[in-house]
Amino acid sequence: MLDKIANAIKKAESVAIFTHVNPDGDTIGSAFAVSAALRKMGKSACVFVSGPVPKDYEFLPGAKADVWEDGSKFDISLAIDVSDEGRLGALKDAFFSAPLTSCIDHHGTNPGFADINCVRSSAAAVAEVVVDFLDALGVEIDSDIAACLFVAVSTDTNNFSFSNTTGDTLRMAARLVDAGADVDLITGRLYRRMPIAKTRLIGKTVSTLKTSMDGKVAIMTSSYIDRDECGAKDEDYDGIVNYATQSDGVMVAALLRTSSQNSSVKVSVRSSCECDAAKIAAVFGGGGHSKAAGCTINQKTLEEAAQLVRAAAEAEVSACLTTDS
């Protein structure tokens, strides 16, 4: 299917590249990499992002590129790292307005919502699939493209520390470094500094941590009021859920947060064992990977949503323990 997408794009003059809501490094970095590659081919290409590019990724080549105005026409749309059409958010109509739609992803829960889909669940990051895609297009990976893809794979593997990191992942990263990705610059921007507002938000959010099942399940909550008191933004929540998984004995952790008054509750789920985070998220219509997943819960307060997520997490942990025994 990757060759089929590549062939379709070779025939197109204009390509719209779509990222998922609450964009992370994998969707942003991979999208900018593809956009740069298509421009090298002489294509008209641009990236659609819901809202501004998160500050953590503003340093990437292409982050300042113009986004197509609403109503613009393009030959083909390409979703990258988008696990289902709901993850397109407000960009959904624009995506499906193209005569041909396509999707490159690595989420096993992806239902194949586009006309042409390439879903490789074995890939640690969608960036791994994108490298093969660029090879299929015949585009050489230059230093700018390499930087974008290195950010993508690094963030989805937690700087190559998660269990999804494989030999193929590391070989791909080595190729990107050889192509000019500046490891010191990238890791410095991503892991060795953060806004003081995020530091405050981490402290306030971690202080809400509550455990159950003798510490096997950990839940953290944060309201928009907490965020605003810290002077933080929604993007500053990225990675905070991992603080719970680092606690001894925790098998499943979740962070629940609201963005505004009476808004839906966004949930990030993480597993540090054989428990399946995607199964927990699926209870609420979400999805993702076995180690990291997410969902949105509507028409519930933060406290009510936390109770529901805790129950789902406890059920998954119980099932996991039963299987192990």
Side-chain angles (χ1 to χ4, degrees):
M1 283 300 181
L2 202 59
D3 285 338
K4 191 172 182 179
I5 296 175
N7 290 333
I9 284 182
K10 287 177 182 178
K11 298 175 184 176
E13 293 183 1
S14 57
V15 184
I17 303 159
F18 289 78
T19 60
H20 60 66
V21 293
N22 303 314
D24 58 12
D26 196 19
T27 191
I28 285 284
S30 295
F32 286 151
V34 171
S35 179
L38 295 183
R39 290 184 181 189
K40 289 181 69 172
M41 296 174 66
K43 308 290 184 183
S44 176
C46 203
V47 178
F48 276 68
V49 183
S50 294
V53 174
K55 282 190 173 297
D56 284 351
Y57 312 118
E58 285 182 346
F59 73 98
L60 284 177
K64 302 298 183 181
D66 292 335
V67 173
W68 261 314
E69 299 291 336
D70 289 341
S72 296
K73 303 298 181 182
F74 35 86
D75 298 326
I76 182 171
S77 59
L78 172 61
I80 298 182
D81 198 40
V82 180
S83 59
D84 61 70
E85 61 183 66
R87 293 285 285 161
L88 289 165
L91 301 176
K92 179 179 176 180
D93 289 345
F95 175 80
F96 285 107
S97 70
L100 183 66
T101 62
S102 59
C103 175
I104 297 175
D105 189 29
H106 69 131
H107 295 90
T109 56
N110 192 310
F113 60 90
D115 295 324
I116 315 172
N117 302 275
C118 177
V119 180
R120 191 184 300 170
S121 59
S122 60
V126 80
E128 287 191 37
V129 192
V130 168
V131 168
D132 291 340
F133 177 58
L134 299 188
D135 287 343
L137 289 174
V139 178
E140 181 180 356
I141 296 177
D142 58 25
S143 59
D144 284 351
I145 294 174
C148 292
L149 291 173
F150 193 92
V151 165
V153 69
S154 174
T155 52
D156 244 30
T157 59
N158 195 32
N159 204 16
F160 308 98
S161 67
F162 284 163
S163 60
N164 60 350
T165 304
T166 66
D168 287 339
T169 308
L170 296 175
R171 279 184 286 273
M172 170 205 159
R175 178 180 172 184
L176 298 177
V177 173
D178 289 342
D182 188 331
V183 177
D184 183 59
L185 171 66
I186 292 170
T187 56
R189 293 270 190 166
L190 295 178
Y191 308 111
R192 297 200 294 268
R193 71 177 188 180
M194 69 177 68
I196 189 66
K198 179 166 183 173
T199 303
R200 294 191 182 102
L201 185 63
I202 290 172
K204 183 176 283 289
T205 304
V206 171
S207 70
T208 70
L209 189 149
K210 294 181 179 179
T211 62
S212 60
M213 295 189 73
D214 295 323
K216 295 179 179 65
V217 173
I219 305 290
M220 298 186 293
T221 58
S222 180
S223 72
Y224 71 97
I225 297 175
D226 298 324
R227 178 203 63 198
D228 291 348
E229 286 179 349
C230 294
K233 299 180 180 179
D234 280 346
E235 64 196 57
D236 291 322
Y237 284 106
D238 189 32
I240 293 181
V241 65
N242 295 325
Y243 283 87
T245 61
Q246 293 167 4
S247 300
D248 285 341
V250 171
M251 298 174 67
V252 171
L255 168 60
L256 294 83
R257 61 183 177 86
T258 56
S259 295
S260 60
Q261 187 175 11
N262 299 322
S263 69
S264 55
V265 180
K266 299 183 185 302
V267 186
S268 298
V269 186
R270 298 292 184 270
S271 168
S272 59
C273 62
E274 297 306 312
C275 292
D276 195 332
K279 286 184 179 179
I280 298 169
V283 173
F284 309 100
H289 305 288
S290 62
K291 298 298 182 184
C295 61
T296 299
I297 300 178
N298 299 310
Q299 299 179 331
K300 296 292 182 181
T301 66
L302 195 57
E303 292 74 19
E304 290 170 341
Q307 291 177 2
L308 294 173
V309 172
R310 180 177 292 106
E314 290 175 352
E316 175 61 16
V317 169
S318 294
C320 195
L321 292 174
T322 300
T323 301
D324 288 345
S325 62

